[in-house]
């Protein structure tokens, strides 16, 4: 590193507050993180209590817990108010017979009610199943059916996308508007259900390369991981205004949009509405956001809008983080040159429940690298037999298991769960990476067919299954095609049934069919009609790898 770079880092580090990190980083044990939580003293465990109620009990009830902003709408709630509303929702759930361990789904747009619903479910010991607001019928149905959700909290608009008759386990649908309108009785007793660290907390559905999305279940113990990574990686400080742009239906939106900041008593920002560069910059300026957690696609979209950021006062920003897909050095340089801040990349997965590879704010960043292992985390780069490879080699990115945030199970699917632990003692991520001499990890791609578009995981199988339900489609193979803004886009190769003729209109109809039934983010942006699809000789399975190779060759030709 040049002297200039070192000085720059020192200058930035001055504004970070890694309280006690320097003293403990070499001797850190997860047990130390547990000490940050009140359950360590009381022995009583509930993540919703630690997230909100605890702050009220400790005298921070009047602190602003959230700012909500959507178009012209503005609302702020204190920790007192969030506790009160969470109790109210929890009471309604109890009145409807919800019990410990029940799966209660939350299908709401990014509003305070969404966050409050999730916490209410957790408070009474049930398992929260947050659903992304853009999911369509099929996606909603598959998820609730998989873990037999009994209750759903939604609103009058989104309920139109809930195919109730196809979800036999669903007993009750509650509307946020109606819960809000009910008179709020002062709670007679605490509604907190004390549970065990191993009890279920939240279930997130996520794609792999085969089959439908899997239900990744996390336990209350994850909060140990959340609180300490919130402190050290997000660097949350008392006066921070913290904005994570993800919806709680995705793991980033729940873990780092809700749990980690609120466990650390931060004021969070909840923003509704769609992405628009002007609105995002306006939000940062108006709410004086200090800490901003987003994804490379969003940064690239902002970057592509040119200089409009100059019209906004973004001087409140102190710390920027990124997750979900490879962060290109170009974006890091843009932020450094224009905002005077480095973007700190973080790597983790739905299954890992929290940050594993990070750029701590006071340490050197190597653009192109995802960072270094979080304290207490050991990375291994493994060959195809599970042997560790020397530094500098490309191999399977694996992590020594366990750690507190690690998933508890894949709902109803032991085999799938076990497939992450093929080699004794290691969790296998499915990513390929190399680690350099200084411990920095560089992402090299996936070892399977999973697609990552705009930071969202898309399983090709789910899209292919939907495509072949369209009457015109005979067979389908779906791959990720490199894209300058979204990282990858979903590209489908299809063969047509006899009697159908390729046309723009037909392809658009097929695309809309996936969009309407599955979800917008999984709908192929490109569809190519081919005479036949490459297949394995023996089993006749479609060779996505071949399709991808051909696509890459076309791009480089
Ligand atoms: C990818 C999101 C490159 C990776 C929290 C991983 C990344 C998958 C990064 C998990 C990063 C995540 N650089 N790729 N910093 N972070 N990924 O479950 O392929 O939605 O396996 O979790 O996203 O996606 P998931």
């Amino acid at each position: 590193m040049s002297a200039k770079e070192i000085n720059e880092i020192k200058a930035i580090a001055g504004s970070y507050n890694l309280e006690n990190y320097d003293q403990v980083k070499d001797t850190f044990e997860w047990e130390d993180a547990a000490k940050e939580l009140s359950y360590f003293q009381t022995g009583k465990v509930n993540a919703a209590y630690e997230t909100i109620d605890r702050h009220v009990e400790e005298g921070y009830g009047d602190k602003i817990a959230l700012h909500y902003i959507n178009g012209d709408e503005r609302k702020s709630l204190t920790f007192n108010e969030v506790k009160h509303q969470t109790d109210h929702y929890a009471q309604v759930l109890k009145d409807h017979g919800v019990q410990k361990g029940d799966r209660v789904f939350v299908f709401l747009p990014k509003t305070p009610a969404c966050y409050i619903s999730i916490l209410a479910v957790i408070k009474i010991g049930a398992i929260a199943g947050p659903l992304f607001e853009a999911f369509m019928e099929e996606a909603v149905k598959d998820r609730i059916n998989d873990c037999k959700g009994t209750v759903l909290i939604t609103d009058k608009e989104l309920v139109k996308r809930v195919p109730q008759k196809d979800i036999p386990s669903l007993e009750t649908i509650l509307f946020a508007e109606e819960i809000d309108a009910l008179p709020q009785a002062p709670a007679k007793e605490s509604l907190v259900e004390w549970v065990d660290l191993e009890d279920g907390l939240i279930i997130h559905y996520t794609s792999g390369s085969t089959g439908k999305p899997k239900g990744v279940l996390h336990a209350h113990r994850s909060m140990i991981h959340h609180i300490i990574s919130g402190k050290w990686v997000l660097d949350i400080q008392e006066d921070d205004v913290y904005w994570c742009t993800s919806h709680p239906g995705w793991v980033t939106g729940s873990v780092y949009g809700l749990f980690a900041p609120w466990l650390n008593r931060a004021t969070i920002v909840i923003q509704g509405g769609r992405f628009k560069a002007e609105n995002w910059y306006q939000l940062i300026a108006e709410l004086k956001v200090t800490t901003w957690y987003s994804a490379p696609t969003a940064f690239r979209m902002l970057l592509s809008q040119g200089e409009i950021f100059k019209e906004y006062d973004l001087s409140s920003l102190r710390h920027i983080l990124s997750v979900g897909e490879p962060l290109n050095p170009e974006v890091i340089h843009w932020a450094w040159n224009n905002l005077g801040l480095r973007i700190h990349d973080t790597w983790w997965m739905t299954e890992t429940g929290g940050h594993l590879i990070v750029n701590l704010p006071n340490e050197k960043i190597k653009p192109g690298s995802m960072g270094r292992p979080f304290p207490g985390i050991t990375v291994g780069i493994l060959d195809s037999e599970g042997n560790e490879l020397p530094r500098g080699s490309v191999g399977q990115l694996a992590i020594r298991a366990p750690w507190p945030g690690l998933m508890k199970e894949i709902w109803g699917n032991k085999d799938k769960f076990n497939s992450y632990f093929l080699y004794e003692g290691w969790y296998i991520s499915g990513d390929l990476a190399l680690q350099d001499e200084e411990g920095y990890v560089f992402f090299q791609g996936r070892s399977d067919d999973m697609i990552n578009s705009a930071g969202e995981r898309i399983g090709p199988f789910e899209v292919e299954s939907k495509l072949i339900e369209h009457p015109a489609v005979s067979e389908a193979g779906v791959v990720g095609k490199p894209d300058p803004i979204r990282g990858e886009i979903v590209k489908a190769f299809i063969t047509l049934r006899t009697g159908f003729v390729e046309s723009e209109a037909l392809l658009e109809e097929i695309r809309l069919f996936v969009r309407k039934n599955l979800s917008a983010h999984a709908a192929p942006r490109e569809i190519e009609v081919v005479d036949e699809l490459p297949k394995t000789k023996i089993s006749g399975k479609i060779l996505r790898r071949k399709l991808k190779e051909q696509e890459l060759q076309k791009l480089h030709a």
Side-chain angles (χ1 to χ4, degrees):
M1 247 201 305
S2 70
K4 182 168 170 272
E5 261 185 300
I6 291 171
N7 282 336
E8 280 168 0
I9 289 162
K10 279 196 184 145
I12 301 170
S15 65
Y16 292 113
N17 166 35
L18 285 144
E19 199 191 313
N20 72 26
Y21 169 71
D22 280 336
Q23 291 94 53
V24 304
K25 66 173 180 206
D26 298 327
T27 56
F28 173 78
E29 305 263 355
W30 286 108
E31 181 98 331
D32 301 333
K35 289 181 193 151
E36 306 271 332
L37 294 156
S38 70
Y39 92 81
F40 200 77
Q41 265 91 45
T42 62
K44 293 179 169 180
V45 181
N46 185 300
Y49 171 82
E50 303 275 352
T51 308
I52 299 292
D53 299 29
R54 178 189 183 185
H55 307 315
V56 173
E57 285 180 12
E58 291 178 358
Y60 296 92
D62 292 331
K63 184 177 174 181
I64 300 286
L66 69 87
H67 293 298
Y68 172 60
I69 180 164
N70 184 6
D72 294 332
E73 203 182 335
R74 303 281 182 278
K75 186 151 113 187
S76 300
L77 297 180
T78 63
F79 279 101
N80 265 331
E81 289 166 322
V82 173
K83 175 180 183 301
H84 196 63
Q85 291 200 20
T86 308
D87 283 344
H88 176 59
Y89 271 67
Q91 186 62 57
V92 171
L93 290 170
K94 278 203 141 175
D95 293 346
H96 281 87
V98 175
Q99 296 192 346
K100 187 181 165 198
D102 288 352
R103 276 77 60 208
V104 177
F105 279 82
V106 176
F107 186 33
L108 287 170
K110 213 155 16 109
T111 56
C114 177
Y115 292 63
I116 284 162
S117 300
I118 293 170
L119 286 177
V121 174
I122 294 169
K123 186 172 255 181
I124 61 170
I127 297 169
L131 296 171
F132 181 47
E133 61 185 306
F135 282 158
M136 304 306 280
E137 292 205 359
E138 182 102 351
V140 172
K141 179 185 85 183
D142 284 351
R143 284 159 177 80
I144 305 181
N145 274 338
D146 181 68
C147 66
K148 305 203 165 38
T150 51
V151 177
L152 171 70
I153 307 176
T154 184
D155 66 20
K156 301 249 158 111
E157 194 49 45
L158 289 182
V159 75
K160 294 176 191 157
R161 292 194 233 135
V162 180
Q164 296 172 45
K165 61 176 186 345
D166 298 331
I167 314 177
S169 62
L170 197 56
E171 292 162 7
T172 310
I173 295 188
L174 299 168
F175 296 104
E177 305 97 317
E178 290 181 1
I179 301 179
D180 289 340
L182 289 173
Q184 306 196 6
K188 289 177 226 77
E189 65 216 53
S190 169
L191 289 156
V192 177
E193 173 91 25
W194 301 110
V195 299
D196 291 328
L197 281 173
E198 276 306 319
D199 279 328
L201 172 77
I202 195 163
I203 187 163
H204 279 287
Y205 279 80
T206 195
S207 305
S209 58
T210 54
K212 296 207 176 225
K214 315 281 184 302
V216 176
L217 178 67
H218 288 284
H220 281 251
R221 64 173 146 77
S222 299
M223 64 184 162
I224 300 168
H225 198 151
H226 301 164
I227 194 167
I228 199 71
S229 52
K231 190 168 167 173
W232 285 345
V233 185
L234 307 177
D235 186 41
I236 288 171
Q237 301 175 25
E238 190 60 41
D239 296 328
D240 274 337
V241 177
Y242 169 87
W243 180 30
C244 168
T245 58
S246 184
H247 183 281
W250 304 115
V251 79
T252 303
S254 73
V255 170
Y256 293 107
L258 189 167
F259 296 119
W262 271 350
L263 285 167
N264 285 286
R265 217 193 307 125
T267 298
I268 68 165
V269 175
I270 301 174
Q271 125 276 359
R274 307 196 60 162
F275 174 87
K276 197 166 166 237
E278 286 87 343
N279 294 353
W280 277 34
Y281 289 134
Q282 166 62 28
L283 182 158
I284 294 172
E286 180 181 330
L287 296 176
K288 300 201 170 25
V289 171
T290 59
T291 312
W292 183 25
Y293 198 5
S294 197
T297 292
F299 295 127
R300 287 189 291 257
M301 281 158 90
L302 292 172
L303 202 147
S304 72
Q305 307 269 312
E307 306 247 292
I308 59 164
F309 67 90
K310 293 201 165 147
E311 294 160 31
Y312 301 86
D313 177 5
L314 306 177
S315 60
S316 57
L317 282 173
R318 181 176 69 76
H319 189 26
I320 311 181
L321 303 111
S322 172
V323 67
E325 27 162 356
L327 178 64
N328 13 0
E330 189 196 351
V331 176
I332 298 188
H333 293 137
W334 172 80
W336 176 244
N337 292 329
N338 293 298
L339 306 175
L341 295 169
R342 297 207 191 275
I343 301 180
H344 294 73
D345 198 9
T346 59
W347 178 90
W348 60 296
M349 305 174 68
T350 306
E351 295 88 334
T352 75
H355 294 142
L356 294 184
I357 296 172
V358 300
N359 287 280
L360 287 168
N362 62 339
E363 294 188 337
K364 177 178 82 170
I365 285 176
K366 289 191 187 179
S369 153
M370 311 192 288
R372 290 197 278 192
F374 188 77
I377 292 296
T378 306
V379 161
I381 303 294
L382 310 184
D383 68 13
S384 53
E385 260 112 57
N387 306 306
E388 269 191 85
L389 291 163
R391 290 274 165 109
S393 331
V394 177
Q396 308 184 63
L397 173 56
I399 311 289
R400 272 245 167 268
W403 60 89
L406 178 63
M407 63 179 161
K408 178 182 159 67
E409 61 184 64
I410 301 279
W411 193 272
N413 197 338
K414 275 215 169 69
D415 289 347
K416 179 67 196 169
F417 181 82
N418 291 338
S419 71
Y420 290 88
F421 303 94
L422 282 182
Y423 315 119
E424 189 73 40
W426 292 104
Y427 162 86
I428 315 204
S429 67
D431 285 4
L432 300 171
L434 70 79
Q435 190 173 29
D436 73 9
E437 290 298 333
E438 290 182 287
Y440 286 82
V441 181
F442 292 76
F443 180 80
Q444 305 287 312
R446 283 287 302 178
S447 64
D448 60 18
D449 296 336
M450 199 178 83
I451 300 167
N452 188 335
S453 183
E456 275 151 20
R457 272 165 77 163
I458 296 159
F461 176 83
E462 209 183 4
V463 187
E464 289 162 359
S465 309
K466 186 60 24 192
L467 279 165
I468 57 176
E469 278 177 30
H470 189 280
V473 181
S474 170
E475 289 179 311
V478 167
V479 299
K481 173 181 171 179
D483 180 79
I485 297 277
R486 292 185 160 73
E488 288 184 317
I489 57 164
V490 178
K491 167 142 192 187
F493 294 87
I494 58 169
T495 58
L496 293 178
R497 286 188 186 280
T498 15
F500 287 91
V501 185
E502 180 181 348
S503 72
E504 280 296 320
L506 178 63
L507 297 189
E508 183 59 14
E509 182 192 308
I510 295 171
R511 209 177 68 77
L512 281 179
F513 177 77
V514 179
R515 207 185 151 89
K516 260 177 102 171
N517 290 289
L518 198 55
S519 75
H521 73 283
R525 284 189 176 248
E526 274 185 31
I527 302 179
E528 186 174 327
V529 178
V530 292
D531 292 335
E532 61 180 330
L533 289 163
K535 288 187 191 144
T536 53
K537 283 220 174 63
I538 298 167
S539 58
K541 269 207 271 180
I542 291 167
L543 274 169
R544 297 185 191 123
R545 231 153 260 254
K546 199 97 220 168
L547 292 168
K548 178 127 187 180
E549 266 167 37
Q550 289 169 5
E551 199 55 37
L552 292 177
Q553 272 164 11
K554 262 191 265 167
L555 281 176
H556 293 130

